[in-house]
């Protein structure tokens, strides 16, 4: 008999496989759609800073459709394992998925086609779904035992999520003719608290579980993880004050300096975990993770250039590119291609004495295609912005779409192999949840 | 009984008896139990079983066991304990 099938606590520590996988599946689909949206908006991409259109739709397909979608699916399975809490009820998570997934589609379509009402309807669904997620997340963090550094990152990300949602609401209302907050203030807060705050802090916090888990190394020193988080939170607080017009330039530079210190500390801990781990060969997935870390540093350098008003055309766009595609998307796709087969194997171990290995569930060739296409697309987009070339932007978006399709093929192969390996009773429960 | 320190001030304990090599990872934060158990089974060159004493179902461990050709079988343990017997199958 398989251990997981026998143990009483197993059921409370694992969600039905269909729950994280449906979030990952939607993220994979939105990943491809994001590149198509970017292709549609390539004419405006090189100098894009704000405003309705396909570049804005592509941005939100990446942030909400890929990044947040994956974070929801991964965090609600992994955090309970780390914090020794029961997983949340599967039906709540299914309800969140059903509200959130079409909400993201409506929001992106509204942004792309310039229809504020579609956008507002989508924004409302996304807002409600993310409030539901925030409630589940708070419940988990409140009862957390151990891992204070991860929990602190979780709470900081949770607060940032609320700020990001409030400012998103203000921005959606702006397109309906209501102005609850100055638009430039709302944009500045939204960018900082959604990207660096919610997604960034979550990424840094979950890294303290995931990187040692994959590298098979000791957990990072809790005191240093807490110090890194405190520096990041202080940076966000200064960025918020600057957004409201308080000593804007000085506080923005101070915020970037504190963020650099937080990142330096984080990367030092990650380097130590990777060097001290029993598993040294982590493959292409961790090359993407490392590229993501480099891009995080570059995003802060670009942010400094923007804060100081450096006279470089397209600098604001480059900042967004390094932050969203360079850091967050590259990092997340690197992690997702490891975590999806790992979670699949973990679930299959519940009903089988000889579960398939994560590597046997994965598909190397599609991942190799994705790896090269993603990095080529990232470089191509950066060149397009520097050269102000819509044609180059379109070419890069096309290459990115090929990479996203390859990533989709990897996910389909994973599902197929998972289904082929699953015991009959587990196939039924996977479909039913 | 041997004690090895992993992570920040916490330790796993190992000892031998007729049933195999025991490892007690109760109270350790993730991923220390995973690392300690994998480290132990990688150090074993023969078919000696490993008895794990845990305070929760080690869901993260099963994929790592599968990669290494080991399987887990549940055993009766003390109240609040999850006890597993790990065996090499290839």
């Amino acid at each position: 008999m398989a251990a997981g099938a026998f143990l009483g606590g197993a059921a409370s520590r694992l969600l039905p496989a269909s729950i994280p996988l449906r979030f990952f599946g939607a993220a994979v689909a939105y990943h491809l759609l994001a590149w198509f949206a970017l292709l549609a908006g390539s004419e405006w991409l090189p100098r894009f800073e704000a405003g309705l259109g396909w570049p804005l739709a592509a941005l939100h397909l990446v942030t909400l459709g890929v990044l947040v979608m994956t974070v929801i699916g991964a965090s609600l399975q992994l955090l309970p394992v780390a914090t020794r809490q029961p997983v949340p009820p599967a039906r709540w998570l299914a309800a969140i998925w059903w509200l959130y997934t079409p909400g993201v589609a409506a929001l992106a379509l509204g942004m792309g086609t310039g229809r504020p009402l579609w956008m507002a309807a989508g924004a409302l669904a996304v807002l409600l779904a993310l409030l539901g997620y925030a409630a589940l997340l708070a419940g988990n963090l409140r009862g957390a035992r151990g891992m204070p550094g991860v929990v602190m990152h979780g709470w900081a990300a949770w607060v940032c999520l609320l700020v990001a949602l409030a400012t998103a609401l203000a921005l959606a209302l702006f397109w309906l003719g209501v102005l609850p907050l100055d638009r430039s203030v709302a944009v500045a807060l939204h960018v900082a608290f959604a990207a660096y705050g919610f997604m960034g802090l979550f990424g840094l916090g979950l890294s303290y579980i995931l990187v040692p888990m994959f590298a098979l190394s000791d957990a990072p020193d809790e005191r240093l993880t807490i110090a890194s988080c405190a520096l990041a939170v202080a940076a966000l607080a200064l960025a918020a004050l600057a957004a409201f017009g308080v000593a804007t330039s000085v506080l923005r530079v101070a915020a970037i300096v504190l963020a650099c210190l937080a990142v330096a500390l984080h990367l030092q801990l990650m380097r130590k975990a990777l060097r001290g781990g029993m598993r040294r060969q982590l493959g292409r997935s961790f090359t993407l993770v490392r590229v993501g870390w480099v891009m995080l540093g570059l995003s802060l350098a670009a942010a400094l250039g923007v804060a100081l008003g450096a006279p470089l055309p397209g600098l604001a766009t480059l900042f967004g590119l390094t932050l969203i595609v360079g850091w967050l998307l590259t990092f997340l796709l690197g992690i997702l291609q490891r975590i999806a087969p790992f979670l699949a194997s973990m679930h299959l171990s519940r009903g089988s004495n000889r579960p398939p290995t994560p590597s046997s569930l994965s598909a190397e060739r599609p991942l190799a295609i994705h790896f090269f296409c993603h990095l080529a697309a990232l470089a191509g987009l950066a060149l397009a912005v520097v050269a102000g070339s819509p044609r180059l932007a379109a070419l890069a978006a096309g290459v990115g779409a090929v990479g996203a399709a390859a990533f989709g093929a990897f996910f389909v192969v994973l599902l197929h192999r998972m289904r082929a390996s699953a015991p009959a009773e587990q196939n039924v429960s996977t479909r039913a949840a | 009984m041997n004690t090895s320190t992993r992570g920040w001030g916490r330790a796993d304990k190992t000892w031998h008896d007729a049933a195999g090599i025991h490892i007690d990872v109760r109270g350790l934060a993730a991923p220390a139990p995973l690392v300690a158990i994998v480290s132990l089974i990688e150090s074993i060159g023969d078919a000696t079983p490993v008895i794990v004493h845990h305070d929760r179902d080690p869901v993260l461990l099963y994929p790592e066991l599968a990669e290494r050709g080991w399987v887990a079988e549940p055993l009766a343990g003390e109240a609040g304990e999850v006890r597993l017997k790990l065996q090499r199958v290839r």
Side-chain angles (χ1 to χ4, degrees):
Chain A
M1 181 183 289
F6 181 87
L7 296 168
S12 65
R13 298 193 74 214
L14 279 182
L15 287 163
S18 65
I19 296 293
L21 288 177
R22 78 177 61 187
F23 283 97
F24 295 165
V28 167
Y30 278 131
H31 180 211
L32 182 59
L33 291 175
W35 286 110
F36 284 143
L38 204 57
L39 191 59
S42 55
E43 186 183 342
W44 304 278
L45 177 77
R47 292 295 173 265
F48 173 74
E49 288 186 20
L52 295 184
W54 287 110
L56 188 69
L59 174 66
H60 286 83
L61 283 169
V62 171
T63 53
L64 295 173
V66 184
L67 302 174
V68 177
M69 188 78 78
T70 306
V71 161
I72 296 173
S75 65
L76 292 176
Q77 174 58 85
L78 286 171
L79 272 180
V81 173
T83 57
R84 304 183 208 181
Q85 294 292 300
V87 292
R91 62 181 183 281
W92 280 49
L93 295 173
I96 286 174
W97 189 88
W98 281 107
L99 189 59
Y100 185 70
T101 304
V104 172
L107 181 70
L109 268 177
M111 286 173 167
T113 58
R115 290 186 170 90
L117 277 178
W118 288 23
M119 208 175 74
L124 183 63
V126 166
L127 178 75
L128 291 174
L130 290 181
L131 285 175
Y133 167 68
L136 293 178
L137 182 61
N140 180 278
L141 294 171
R142 248 198 323 268
R145 289 184 288 154
M147 307 203 83
V150 174
V151 173
M152 184 180 174
H153 279 82
W155 277 120
W158 186 83
V159 171
C160 290
L161 172 62
L162 297 188
V163 176
L165 288 178
T167 50
L169 186 64
L171 289 168
L173 288 173
F174 167 79
W175 292 108
L176 296 172
V178 184
L179 200 60
L181 183 66
D182 182 81
R183 189 168 174 275
S184 62
V185 174
V187 168
L189 288 173
H190 190 67
V191 170
F193 281 79
Y196 286 113
F198 174 55
M199 290 177 289
L201 281 170
F202 231 126
L204 301 187
L206 286 179
S207 294
Y208 295 128
I209 305 171
L210 293 171
V211 173
M213 185 180 100
F214 288 129
L216 292 171
S217 63
D218 289 336
D221 187 326
E222 292 286 1
R223 290 163 294 192
L224 296 180
T225 64
I226 288 168
S228 171
C229 186
L231 285 165
V233 168
L236 284 165
L238 292 186
L241 283 176
F244 281 104
V246 181
T248 304
S249 294
V250 175
L251 287 189
R252 276 188 180 159
V253 171
I256 292 165
V257 170
L258 288 179
C260 286
L261 291 174
V263 169
L265 200 48
H266 175 78
L267 294 184
Q268 189 194 345
L269 291 169
M270 293 294 98
R271 187 164 161 261
K272 193 174 171 192
L274 289 172
R275 285 199 167 180
M278 290 161 60
R279 186 184 283 127
R280 297 295 176 88
Q281 301 299 323
L282 288 159
R284 284 194 199 93
S285 63
F286 265 71
T287 305
L288 289 179
V289 167
R290 288 186 173 94
V291 169
W293 286 334
V294 170
M295 288 290 153
L296 167 58
L298 286 180
S299 79
L300 291 171
L304 187 62
V306 172
L308 296 174
L312 293 172
L315 186 59
T317 313
L318 270 182
F319 163 65
L321 180 67
T322 52
L323 172 59
I324 303 298
V325 183
W327 171 35
L328 291 169
L329 184 62
T330 307
F331 173 84
L332 179 129
L333 292 172
I335 292 291
L336 183 58
Q337 64 188 254
R338 280 204 87 91
I339 210 171
F342 191 88
L343 280 180
S345 173
M346 206 163 95
H347 279 278
L348 290 170
S349 73
R350 295 174 75 181
S352 163
N353 198 30
R354 298 284 298 274
T357 63
S359 53
S360 71
L361 294 169
S362 190
E364 270 310 299
R365 188 170 296 175
L367 288 179
I369 294 170
H370 166 259
F371 176 83
F372 292 111
C373 287
H374 180 82
L375 294 182
L378 178 60
L381 287 178
L383 278 176
V385 174
V386 171
S389 167
R391 195 170 292 181
L392 196 50
L395 182 66
V399 172
V402 172
F407 201 93
F410 148 76
F411 191 73
V412 170
V413 169
L414 170 76
L415 291 182
H416 179 72
R417 289 181 179 169
M418 195 180 169
R419 182 146 292 180
S421 305
E425 71 275 15
Q426 207 172 351
N427 259 332
V428 171
S429 73
T430 300
R431 277 196 290 269
Chain B
M1 184 180 292
N2 298 320
T3 302
S4 64
T5 302
R6 296 178 185 280
W8 188 34
R10 308 299 288 269
D12 58 78
K13 289 166 280 192
T14 58
W15 68 96
H16 295 247
D17 68 10
I21 305 174
H22 294 251
I23 180 165
D24 187 343
V25 292
R26 283 174 283 189
L28 300 186
L34 171 72
V35 177
I37 296 164
V38 171
S39 179
L40 177 63
I41 65 171
E42 289 212 334
S43 71
I44 297 172
D46 55 22
T48 309
V50 171
I51 315 296
V52 174
H53 303 262
H54 214 316
D55 50 15
R56 53 198 186 274
D57 181 22
V59 290
L60 302 177
L61 176 65
Y62 301 126
E64 297 292 348
L65 290 180
E67 290 281 13
R68 288 162 177 78
W70 285 66
V71 293
E73 180 191 342
L75 299 174
E78 298 164 5
E81 179 196 1
V82 170
R83 192 177 295 182
L84 294 171
K85 181 181 183 181
L86 311 185
Q87 279 186 300
R88 190 193 294 274
V89 289
R90 62 171 157 85

